[in-house]
C-alpha cells in the first residue's frame, strides 16, 4: 500500500481536501462590534439589492453580484479573502482596496456603516 511517506502524504492531502470543502461554521466571532438591525436598514439605504439577491430584504433581487444567501457561513469573500467580520467590513467599506480590480465598486460606505452591514450579513446562515 505504499511507503510510510507516501501514506503520510496521501493522508495529509485528504485532510486538506476535507478542510477546503468544509461547509464551514458561522465566521463571526462573538466580540465583533456591529448592529445587525441597523445593518438591515443600511442594506436598503445603500441599495445593495440592486446588485445582490439578499434574503429578507424586499426588492433585493439583483443579479449583477453574487447572491448573498448564507454569506455568514462561506469560507471566502470574492473567492480570495478569508471570510471574517473584519474582512467583510473592510470589503464593504472599500472593495477595491481589499481586492484591486474586482467588479464591486466603492460605494462610499463609512466604516461604522460597513460594520453594521457586515453584522447583518452574518445573520444570513
Amino acid at each position: 500500500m505504499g511507503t510510510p511517506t507516501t501514506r503520510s502524504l496521501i493522508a495529509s492531502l485528504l485532510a486538506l481536501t476535507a478542510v477546503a470543502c468544509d461547509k464551514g461554521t458561522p465566521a463571526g466571532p462573538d466580540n465583533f462590534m456591529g448592529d445587525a438591525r441597523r445593518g438591515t436598514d443600511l442594506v436598503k439605504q445603500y441599495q445593495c439589492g440592486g446588485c445582490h439577491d439578499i434574503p429578507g430584504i424586499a426588492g433585493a433581487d439583483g443579479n449583477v453580484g453574487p447572491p448573498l444567501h448564507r454569506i455568514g457561513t462561506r469560507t471566502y469573500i470574492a473567492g480570495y479573502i478569508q471570510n471574517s467580520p473584519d474582512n467583510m467590513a473592510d470589503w464593504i467599506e472599500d472593495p477595491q482596496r481589499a481586492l484591486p480590480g474586482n467588479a464591486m465598486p466603492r460605494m462610499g460606505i463609512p466604516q461604522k456603516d460597513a460594520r453594521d452591514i457586515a453584522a447583518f450579513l452574518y445573520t444570513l446562515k
Side-chain angles (χ1 to χ4, degrees), residues 8-68:
S8 177
L9 178 62
I10 291 170
S12 295
L13 289 172
L14 288 173
L16 284 172
T17 301
V19 169
C21 295
D22 182 21
K23 291 201 187 289
T25 56
D30 294 335
N31 65 351
F32 180 73
M33 301 300 290
D35 182 342
R37 280 187 284 192
R38 183 171 181 269
T40 302
D41 293 334
L42 291 169
V43 162
K44 295 172 193 173
Q45 176 185 322
Y46 288 108
Q47 301 177 353
C48 301
C51 291
H52 297 281
D53 184 359
I54 309 169
I57 304 295
D61 56 3
N63 65 357
V64 175
L68 299 181

Side-chain angles (χ1 to χ4, degrees), residues 77-78 81 87-109:
I77 301 165
I81 301 168
N87 287 346
M88 178 69 74
D90 288 346
W91 171 262
I92 293 165
E93 182 181 1
D94 190 347
Q96 294 302 313
R97 180 182 64 221
L99 183 64
N102 79 82
M104 186 165 161
R106 189 171 199 283
M107 300 292 296
I109 300 174

